[in-house]
Amino acid sequence: MASQEPNEQAKNQANTGRRALLGAAVFGAGGAVLGLSGTAQADARHGGSGLKSLPRPTIIGHRGASGYRPEHTLGSYQLALDMGAHIVEAGDLVPTRDGHLVCRHEPEIGGTTDVADHKEFTDRKKTKQLDGVATTGWFTEDFTLAELKTLRAIERIPANRPHNTLYNGHWEIPTFEEVLQWQDEQTRKRGKQVWIYPELKHPTYFRKQGLALEERVAKVLRKYGRNKWNSPVILQSFEPTSIQRMNKLVDNPLVVLLSGASTRPWDFVETGDPRTTADLVKPAGLREIASYAQGIGPTVDLIIPKDAAGNFTKPSTLVADAHRVGLILHPYTMRNENPFLPPAFRKGSDADAYGDVFAVYQAYFETGIDGVFTDQPDTGLLAREAFVNG
């Protein structure tokens, strides 16, 4: 075996330390908050214990408390914290034309902002190929940060969440730096460490435009001193090569997101890698992911597959297989509304009516997942309490 350069050795030692710590987090707890000594608890308040300080199962506010406020706004993030979310997914990160990172679910912002009402931006509407899909609208990379700051956020799925439209226009688009500043402020105010879980959106798409995400994210994290193994910032992406790139740039906990079994990550499509998600969730694929990441974020359908009618079948072996190689699992996404639940758990016929979501949480928690993304953190926390104390 060829000898390693000193910086490469240091990197491998850091990765080993992160995996060892993660293993303690996955296997050292019985389901409630991980047992910490008084000193460890003090460290945890400052992010010193890293992932070990998080409860299990962890309740992650998906784009904040997006079941109640327009997603990816400081209002949504704040409400998720107020409800008690253990982590806030503060930031689906996309770039502006002048290179700033902002928080939007997608680069196309016609569905999440009032840009269509701004006549001065009418000519910015375009049709682009976004990961192979023709997408029409307005894109963050065609706006400067100053221009985006003139827009206001709106509810993305008003048919399911008409109550959220009450808050349309109340919040602007936050930058990643503003989120990190908000994280600091909330940590001081609350006397405990606030965690965030940003996602790098469409990294291959943006790299081809000269707006590489990974280097920009790493630069901002280093500026705020949040690029370490114990930093309260977990990074995620649907593109494995993006997470591999981040592994060389920062020491943060890293998570590979996984879509449906038959899908291929877009970076695989671009590079000709024939593997699908079904290949990545096999033992060999999970071992490979564990060499550069600390966790996976699978769609819930990979945890408990559904039949043709959309109802639960037998849980897969993914949880056990991932834990066997030291990976945590934070599947996505739990939502209270009927259309997002298996038919057997729906109540009534209204699109915005709540179904028996507590039974669905119970089914997922019983598989041994380490946490879950949810649009309604208060519901997730109550379901978690019932499970832990059950």
Side-chain angles (χ1 to χ4, degrees):
M1 181 182 294
S3 61
Q4 295 177 320
E5 296 296 327
N7 61 343
E8 189 177 356
Q9 289 179 330
K11 186 70 177 179
N12 288 341
Q13 289 169 357
N15 287 342
T16 300
R18 284 191 291 175
R19 285 193 290 273
L21 175 61
L22 193 61
V26 171
F27 301 112
V33 176
L34 302 182
L36 298 175
S37 67
T39 301
Q41 288 174 353
D43 288 343
R45 285 195 292 272
H46 298 89
S49 295
L51 288 169
K52 191 177 180 181
S53 66
L54 292 170
R56 175 175 174 260
T58 307
I59 301 301
I60 305 156
H62 185 234
R63 306 173 199 162
S66 56
Y68 307 109
R69 299 290 187 272
E71 64 190 31
H72 285 312
T73 60
L74 289 181
S76 182
Y77 301 158
Q78 186 71 36
L79 184 57
L81 276 190
D82 291 343
M83 288 180 165
H86 304 131
I87 309 178
V88 179
E89 191 194 26
D92 281 346
L93 302 178
V94 292
T96 66
R97 187 171 68 194
D98 47 351
H100 295 277
L101 294 169
V102 296
C103 304
R104 287 291 85 193
H105 172 49
E106 291 288 341
E108 197 291 302
I109 55 174
T112 61
T113 74
D114 60 359
V115 64
D117 297 331
H118 286 249
K119 294 182 180 179
E120 68 272 27
F121 298 137
T122 300
D123 62 350
R124 305 282 179 95
K125 190 174 184 179
K126 299 178 182 178
T127 297
K128 299 188 179 188
Q129 290 291 320
L130 183 59
D131 290 3
V133 178
T135 305
T136 300
W138 292 263
F139 296 81
T140 59
E141 66 267 25
D142 295 329
F143 292 79
T144 66
L145 178 58
E147 289 173 331
L148 286 178
K149 283 295 188 179
T150 67
L151 308 180
R152 293 296 178 267
I154 63 172
E155 171 56 37
R156 184 176 63 88
I157 48 175
N160 302 114
R161 291 168 181 168
H163 48 283
N164 281 13
T165 62
L166 173 66
Y167 304 101
N168 286 355
H170 279 263
W171 292 286
E172 62 182 31
I173 298 174
T175 68
F176 187 35
E177 289 204 55
E178 287 169 345
V179 165
L180 292 173
Q181 292 162 6
W182 168 83
Q183 181 186 26
D184 278 342
E185 174 189 298
Q186 292 302 312
T187 295
R188 289 192 300 270
K189 285 184 176 179
R190 297 169 187 270
K192 62 179 181 180
Q193 182 62 62
V194 169
W195 281 71
I196 63 172
Y197 211 137
E199 178 185 344
L200 282 70
K201 301 291 293 193
H202 305 287
T204 296
Y205 169 82
F206 284 119
R207 182 169 290 277
K208 291 175 73 173
Q209 298 184 58
L211 291 168
L213 289 177
E214 294 87 353
E215 289 79 4
R216 284 175 168 81
V217 171
K219 182 178 179 180
V220 173
L221 289 174
R222 286 194 292 267
K223 176 180 176 180
Y224 286 85
R226 241 154 289 177
N227 59 318
K228 303 176 178 63
W229 67 269
N230 61 345
S231 294
V233 181
I234 305 172
L235 300 172
Q236 56 180 333
S237 177
F238 277 101
E239 297 189 14
T241 58
S242 181
I243 293 300
Q244 288 175 308
R245 193 182 301 272
M246 291 308 303
N247 186 46
K248 297 177 181 178
L249 294 171
V250 297
D251 289 324
N252 297 71
L254 303 173
V255 168
V256 174
L257 295 168
L258 300 168
S259 190
S262 63
T263 64
R264 286 170 71 197
W266 186 249
D267 53 336
F268 283 17
V269 174
E270 288 278 348
T271 60
D273 189 325
R275 291 178 297 171
T276 65
T277 296
D279 297 307
L280 295 179
V281 297
K282 292 177 180 177
L286 293 171
R287 283 195 299 272
E288 179 183 324
I289 291 174
S291 70
Y292 58 85
Q294 287 65 54
I296 56 174
T299 172
V300 289
D301 290 350
L302 292 174
I303 304 297
I304 306 180
K306 296 184 177 75
D307 62 21
N311 287 305
F312 283 152
T313 61
K314 182 181 178 181
S316 72
T317 62
L318 180 56
V319 175
D321 292 342
H323 282 170
R324 194 170 292 116
V325 296
L327 292 170
I328 60 168
L329 300 93
H330 289 160
Y332 66 93
T333 303
M334 288 297 300
R335 298 181 170 102
N336 291 357
E337 295 91 355
N338 276 324
F340 307 112
L341 301 175
F345 299 92
R346 296 172 188 169
K347 294 183 177 181
S349 58
D350 290 344
D352 59 338
Y354 286 2
D356 186 10
V357 70
F358 290 105
V360 179
Y361 273 107
Q362 178 74 17
Y364 286 125
F365 287 153
E366 285 176 351
T367 67
I369 59 174
D370 302 285
V372 67
F373 286 82
T374 173
D375 285 7
Q376 289 94 358
D378 54 342
T379 305
L381 287 161
L382 191 58
R384 177 191 182 279
E385 182 181 358
F387 173 73
V388 170
N389 297 327

